[in-house]
Amino acid sequence: MTENAQQQPPAPSTELPTQYAPADVEGPLYERWVERGYFEADAKSDKPAYTIVIPPPNVTGSLHLGHAFQHTLMDALTRRKRMQGYESLWLPGMDHAGIATQNKVEQQLAEEGKSRHDLGREEFVERVWQWKEEYGGKILGQMRRLGDGVDWSRERFTMDEGLSKAVLTIFKRLYEDELIYRAERIINWCPRCLTAISDIEVEYQEDAGELVSIRYGEGEDSLVVATTRAETMLGDTAVAVHPDDERYRHLVGKQIKLPLTDRTIPVVADTHVDPEFGTGAVKVTPAHDPNDFEIGRRHDLPSLTIMDEHGVITVHGPFLGLDRFEARSAVVGALKEQGRIVAEKRPYMHSVGHCSRCKTTVEPRLSMQWWVKVGPLAKAAGDAVRDGRVKIHPEDMSKRYFDWVDNMHDWCISRQLWWGHRIPIWYGPDGEVVCVGPDEEPPTGEGWTQDSDVLDTWFSSGLWPFSTLGWPEQTEDLRKFYPTDVLLTGHDIIFFWVARMMMFGLYAMDGEVPFHTIALTGLVRDEFGKKMSKSNPNAVDPLVWMDAYGSDAVRFTLANGANPGADVPIGEDWVKASRNFTNKIWNATRFALMNGATVEGPLPDASEMSATDRWILSRLNTTVAQVDAYYDDYQFAKLADALYHFAWDEVFDWYVELSKTTFFAGGEQARVSGRVLGEVLDVTLRLLHPVIPFVTDALWTTLTGGESLVIGEWPQDSAFRDKDAELEIELVQRVVTEVRRFRKDQGLKDGQKVPARLTLDGTALAPHEAAIRQLLRLQPEGEGFTATATLPVGGAEVALDLSGTIDVAAERKRLAKDLAAAEKEKAQATAKLGNEAFLAKAPDNVVDKIRGRLTKADEDIARIKAQLDRLPAA
């Protein structure tokens, strides 16, 4: 099942404090792991490789529950693989987070009364680097608190020298392969961040706006258009109608007057227009709407930019200098004065895009930008999943992935920022355009300038699985650890990050996938299923819970809720329950050590073991097999649940309790059970270690004298099964459970002793009489014993003398009252369900609720009658 850890004797039980104090154990233990190099992977090792690269958190951030959740799962995977004999690499790092980090430093400067322009580009970038050094590594220390088993010697940053070289290399290759180009297109523009942002960085929400209908033209040569952005009419260069719309056929090709301006604009026919929607006529503003831009291209319309990068109107006297929202009201007011407003609707709820970082309303804007031609790259990314080279787990998430990669638009990669990888393009005085690679000297001389933009953050993080291993150099790390094995990340960044890595990995690594499995998780929510956010009072700092209950408790709670792809609810009470679990493991191990549990020597032969010993070893091996299967299927919640119930219920509550009489009696059987208990604890702690590493390592090293579970062996299923022993102990459990239930029904206290006669001869229960009596607080029958209640269970009989423990008459009176209430409830529910008129009118959920009441009433009646039957005569 496991290696025998008999090289060193187990440490004496006195080394284990009476209570588990996580704060005393976790910090020093983690530092010891790091100092001994347990997490450092060897690229020269002959062991098979297992690699996970961490989704790089932003340098602006701190550890939130989402990080803690995913890190717990990645840590569990890599710890288990290390124990299984793999050269396990979990590679850490951080992302420079272009817009977010620049915003942080600009806010800092604003507090000093300055802007980045006061500093200039070079000084500002230096200031950002200083900020990164001071604040950006905060999350790395928090990762240590959580117990992340990452290889700190390989920590990377998306703007370190090696990764910057990778960015320049792939940019030049894509440029030379004509997969990167520069073009003027409509982009999403943030007037607050003053940069382009990609489609996936836009968050849409329902906003209350205004829909106005405006009449263009005069008399018969007029039509009505509707818009929520009235200010953009200043940039209209056409009105479009459907070619088959008879209402406007006479206007197609004509010029009509554009209100508030001195311009006329054409009416064009375009199949993009839906004749059934609104008036069937739409205004066309090619410089400020993506659909209008395409109509403009098809009809060779001019594009008029009417506002600057701040969203301020730059044309037409009366509105010049107004903010876009001020201009909206002013334009509507001016149109009203001219009698051009046909209809208004407010509030008008409609979907509006907002910058995902600063929440400012995004403005579509015509702009010259750099783009990646994603067609061939996205096809390769889709094919890799379709042909099975990459598995998405859970499989039903594949549809979301294909919906994105199969319909991806070209990717705008330029950002109008100063913090980030600057685009490696130089422009010459005579219109020259030169792309400069990492080992090339940029052109010099008068008139040569570098493009001022930087690359989208996701451009560099898309290289993460191979750039962190040394690409473009053919390093030992790259040869050993690429492709990586699992990408474990939230389903919310399939579009941002997962697809980018697939496209770039396949392109840069000659068709080799960046990872074999994409394991997608849900999002962490509060215990009521609500999203956690800093703006809500339900946001939780995981460090607070770690301080209060220990990191293992937080980790176990998160793993226990981790169903593939599903959101994870978490509440403080659940963390407290996990803390109780770690305490239970600690206390049970202390008991075991004080009662002779040992890992010394081989396991005794099965013939020497009791049925209880054989039962727990059989259940242990079944659990090993279950946990392995759950790990391989990324079923973290199921494996955590299986381990919890095996450890708490079967080992601590049943095996230890059933074995106490053996341990107290001493002798050879106690020695055999002590070795079995040592084996069970050894394996159980190994199984639990990847999820709760601190308490398990502290206990295991005390139990076995081994160096550390981090480098211990993962248990293997020895195939030992004993179904007869399992059936025998299940019968013992049934007897104990039935009698406990009866005791509770009679109101007996847990520790209250009751005289009893056990008739067990001829059953499998006979060898367990002493254990059964101890578990149930049953005294020998003694003189004057009167069987006032008899419970037949499993072919045996337990007779109890309750004459001195309960008031039988009062108990019968109480139960009779409960029985009458249950029978009344049954009668009422039966009457309603028998009423056809009621059933015809009542909603299904109401009928279902009444059926449930009837079922419960029947169960209560049966239970109470059984209790009355067991009571002695009054």
Side-chain angles (χ1 to χ4, degrees):
M1 213 166 345
T2 69
E3 72 200 291
N4 288 318
Q6 67 247 36
Q7 293 84 1
Q8 302 178 52
S13 62
T14 53
E15 291 187 6
L16 210 54
T18 55
Q19 290 185 322
Y20 178 49
D24 296 340
V25 172
E26 294 177 350
L29 189 54
Y30 186 84
E31 293 309 313
R32 184 153 65 248
W33 292 338
V34 174
E35 287 167 8
R36 294 180 179 179
Y38 293 155
F39 305 136
E40 293 181 14
D42 182 2
K44 297 179 180 179
S45 167
D46 293 332
K47 296 178 183 178
Y50 183 83
T51 316
I52 295 180
V53 291
I54 205 165
N58 294 346
V59 292
T60 57
S62 59
L63 188 73
H64 56 66
L65 275 174
H67 288 123
F69 169 53
Q70 293 180 355
H71 288 205
T72 294
L73 306 187
M74 286 183 278
D75 195 32
L77 290 173
T78 49
R79 283 179 182 271
R80 172 177 175 255
K81 285 296 182 179
R82 187 179 295 111
M83 294 174 73
Q84 286 181 317
Y86 286 78
E87 197 61 42
S88 189
L89 170 61
W90 186 19
L91 193 148
M94 304 284 284
D95 194 297
H96 68 279
I99 295 177
T101 308
Q102 178 158 322
N103 280 347
K104 288 281 187 182
V105 178
E106 290 200 76
Q107 289 167 13
Q108 196 177 62
L109 286 174
E111 292 172 3
E112 301 170 13
K114 299 178 183 178
S115 75
R116 60 177 161 134
H117 300 285
D118 293 323
L119 273 63
R121 185 167 191 144
E122 287 187 14
E123 190 177 341
F124 176 78
V125 170
E126 179 57 35
R127 179 73 174 259
V128 182
W129 275 106
Q130 291 172 11
W131 189 93
K132 181 260 178 186
E133 293 302 319
E134 186 175 354
Y135 298 103
K138 181 181 178 183
I139 196 170
L140 302 178
Q142 294 168 333
M143 288 165 60
R144 301 171 87 94
R145 281 289 313 278
L146 188 63
D148 284 7
V150 296
D151 186 345
W152 292 110
S153 70
R154 286 178 165 86
E155 181 192 337
R156 304 305 299 269
F157 178 54
T158 50
M159 284 184 64
D160 66 28
E161 185 178 351
L163 270 65
S164 294
K165 182 176 182 179
V167 168
L168 295 176
T169 300
I170 200 162
F171 186 98
K172 186 171 177 69
R173 290 189 187 180
L174 289 164
Y175 181 80
E176 291 178 344
D177 286 345
E178 299 183 350
L179 293 173
I180 282 183
Y181 64 94
R182 192 172 187 236
E184 191 175 44
R185 299 274 180 82
I186 290 285
I187 48 93
N188 303 296
W189 180 264
C190 177
R192 161 63 184 79
C193 298
L194 297 179
T195 182
I197 58 176
S198 65
D199 291 345
I200 51 179
E201 293 169 302
V202 178
E203 293 178 348
Y204 288 91
Q205 66 184 47
E206 290 293 308
D207 285 359
E210 177 184 30
L211 181 68
V212 294
S213 298
I214 309 167
R215 181 173 298 281
Y216 284 21
E218 305 294 341
E220 292 184 358
D221 290 346
S222 67
L223 36 69
V224 175
V225 299
T227 181
T228 57
R229 301 165 67 216
E231 73 281 3
T232 62
M233 68 160 294
L234 301 174
D236 285 359
T237 56
V239 173
V241 298
H242 194 277
D244 299 330
D245 195 332
E246 293 293 338
R247 293 172 295 176
Y248 305 116
R249 189 181 294 275
H250 69 289
L251 290 177
V252 174
K254 287 188 176 182
Q255 295 281 326
I256 61 172
K257 180 72 185 300
L258 179 65
L260 305 184
T261 72
D262 295 326
R263 296 189 290 117
T264 59
I265 56 176
V267 177
V268 299
D270 196 282
T271 54
H272 170 77
V273 180
D274 180 1
E276 302 298 322
F277 183 77
T279 63
V282 296
K283 58 191 287 299
V284 181
T285 320
H288 293 277
D289 183 275
N291 292 322
D292 293 4
F293 177 75
E294 295 301 327
I295 293 174
R297 291 177 69 178
R298 287 193 290 272
H299 297 276
D300 198 25
L301 299 173
S303 296
L304 301 181
T305 299
I306 63 159
M307 63 182 79
D308 66 13
E309 60 186 8
H310 298 278
V312 173
I313 302 299
T314 58
V315 298
H316 205 69
F319 312 108
L320 185 64
L322 293 180
D323 171 80
R324 53 186 169 152
F325 300 118
E326 296 172 334
R328 184 170 301 169
S329 297
V331 166
V332 171
L335 289 168
K336 282 182 178 178
E337 288 181 6
Q338 292 188 4
R340 293 284 178 176
I341 299 296
V342 175
E344 291 181 87
K345 183 178 181 181
R346 68 164 73 92
Y348 177 71
M349 301 304 297
H350 62 132
S351 181
V352 178
H354 297 260
C355 174
S356 61
R357 290 176 177 83
C358 71
K359 311 309 176 188
T360 300
T361 300
V362 167
E363 189 66 39
R365 186 168 188 256
L366 186 62
S367 180
M368 183 68 76
Q369 302 284 346
W370 286 93
W371 305 79
V372 171
K373 187 184 295 183
V374 299
L377 302 174
K379 182 181 184 304
D383 290 345
V385 174
R386 286 190 169 94
D387 63 24
R389 283 175 289 156
V390 176
K391 303 286 187 185
I392 293 181
H393 187 88
E395 191 176 354
D396 59 10
M397 286 283 179
S398 298
K399 183 180 184 301
R400 296 186 65 186
Y401 176 80
F402 291 131
D403 284 347
W404 179 251
V405 297
D406 293 347
N407 300 285
M408 196 182 296
H409 301 297
D410 283 2
W411 172 19
C412 177
I413 57 171
S414 46
R415 298 291 181 267
Q416 289 64 57
L417 305 171
W418 287 356
W419 171 245
H421 295 99
R422 195 164 174 181
I423 289 177
I425 295 289
W426 268 256
Y427 304 107
D430 298 318
E432 302 96 333
V433 179
V434 176
C435 181
V436 178
D439 300 317
E440 300 171 350
E441 291 295 325
T444 57
E446 188 176 347
W448 282 94
T449 58
Q450 186 178 358
D451 195 298
S452 61
D453 289 350
V454 299
L455 288 164
D456 179 9
T457 296
W458 299 102
F459 189 95
S460 51
S461 58
L463 315 180
W464 191 250
F466 52 94
S467 63
T468 51
L469 297 172
W471 186 90
E473 307 302 326
Q474 292 302 307
T475 63
E476 285 186 332
D477 277 1
L478 196 63
R479 286 190 290 270
K480 178 73 174 178
F481 298 112
Y482 189 90
T484 66
D485 287 271
V486 181
L487 171 70
L488 190 144
T489 191
H491 61 64
D492 56 323
I493 59 171
I494 291 177
F495 321 126
F496 289 95
W497 192 45
V498 177
R500 311 298 192 205
M501 287 188 289
M502 286 286 283
M503 292 191 302
F504 281 166
L506 290 162
Y507 174 79
M509 300 301 292
D510 299 321
E512 199 167 17
V513 296
F515 24 74
H516 298 301
T517 301
I518 301 169
L520 296 170
T521 69
L523 307 178
V524 176
R525 297 182 178 273
D526 71 13
E527 58 194 301
F528 306 107
K530 294 181 180 178
K531 183 178 179 180
M532 287 189 180
S533 69
K534 292 178 181 177
S535 59
N536 290 337
N538 65 353
V540 175
D541 180 353
L543 293 179
V544 173
W545 283 352
M546 288 184 215
D547 289 340
Y549 309 112
S551 297
D552 281 333
V554 174
R555 290 172 60 115
F556 192 81
T557 306
L558 289 164
N560 205 27
N563 291 297
D567 288 348
V568 183
I570 184 171
E572 188 168 6
D573 286 346
W574 304 344
V575 183
K576 289 179 183 177
S578 296
R579 184 270 316 274
N580 294 343
F581 181 48
T582 61
N583 288 343
K584 182 80 170 180
I585 298 168
W586 185 272
N587 294 333
T589 304
R590 285 191 73 253
F591 169 85
L593 288 168
M594 290 187 292
N595 286 276
T598 180
V599 296
E600 291 188 271
L603 272 174
D605 188 77
S607 62
E608 302 176 59
M609 299 179 190
S610 67
T612 308
D613 294 333
R614 298 194 306 277
W615 163 73
I616 197 63
L617 288 175
S618 183
R619 291 295 306 132
L620 176 67
N621 280 286
T622 298
T623 302
V624 170
Q626 282 180 334
V627 169
D628 276 331
Y630 290 144
Y631 262 115
D632 292 341
D633 198 34
Y634 305 99
Q635 297 279 359
F636 296 99
K638 289 183 178 179
L639 72 88
D641 186 66
L643 286 169
Y644 176 90
H645 287 293
F646 174 72
W648 191 307
D649 299 344
E650 298 189 279
V651 179
F652 306 144
D653 276 359
W654 283 109
Y655 179 71
V656 169
E657 293 299 322
L658 286 169
S659 301
K660 278 184 178 178
T661 53
T662 300
F663 290 131
F664 295 160
E668 179 59 20
Q669 192 56 55
R671 185 195 67 79
V672 170
S673 292
R675 179 65 187 90
V676 171
L677 179 54
E679 181 76 7
V680 171
L681 284 174
D682 177 13
V683 175
T684 302
L685 291 171
R686 292 172 192 257
L687 290 172
L688 284 164
H689 176 73
V691 179
I692 48 174
F694 293 109
V695 68
T696 52
D697 199 44
L699 291 173
W700 184 84
T701 52
T702 303
L703 172 71
T704 69
E707 182 181 342
S708 174
L709 257 184
V710 180
I711 54 172
E713 285 189 14
W714 182 253
Q716 294 182 3
D717 177 5
S718 71
F720 176 82
R721 301 287 192 280
D722 192 324
K723 291 299 178 186
D724 290 339
E726 290 195 32
L727 290 172
E728 185 170 323
I729 301 305
E730 283 172 12
L731 185 57
V732 173
Q733 292 172 325
R734 182 179 162 198
V735 169
V736 171
T737 302
E738 289 281 340
V739 177
R740 278 178 174 167
R741 184 180 296 119
F742 177 76
R743 286 177 59 109
K744 185 177 180 182
D745 288 343
Q746 307 312 313
L748 297 177
K749 296 178 181 179
D750 290 343
Q752 191 170 350
K753 294 182 179 180
V754 177
R757 178 193 302 132
L758 273 61
T759 307
L760 308 178
D761 292 344
T763 73
L765 296 167
H768 304 283
E769 179 169 353
I772 291 171
R773 283 187 177 276
Q774 179 173 315
L775 286 168
L776 291 171
R777 307 292 190 270
L778 301 180
Q779 294 178 315
E781 51 194 279
E783 251 183 79
F785 175 83
T786 302
T788 58
T790 302
L791 284 74
V793 186
E797 188 176 270
V798 179
L800 304 173
D801 184 351
L802 304 177
S803 56
T805 58
I806 62 172
D807 183 337
V808 175
E811 185 64 14
R812 280 191 171 275
K813 185 176 180 181
R814 182 184 71 80
L815 290 173
K817 183 179 179 182
D818 290 347
L819 179 61
E823 287 174 337
K824 181 180 179 182
E825 174 74 1
K826 178 179 179 178
Q828 290 175 342
T830 302
K832 283 192 175 183
L833 293 173
N835 185 333
E836 294 297 332
F838 169 77
L839 293 176
K841 295 179 180 178
D844 290 345
N845 64 319
V846 172
V847 175
D848 289 343
K849 188 174 181 180
I850 294 171
R851 288 194 179 114
R853 284 168 50 192
L854 178 60
T855 299
K856 185 177 185 304
D858 282 332
E859 291 171 351
D860 288 345
I861 290 168
R863 175 179 55 79
I864 296 167
K865 284 183 175 179
Q867 289 176 242
L868 285 166
D869 290 343
R870 289 170 177 167
L871 282 174

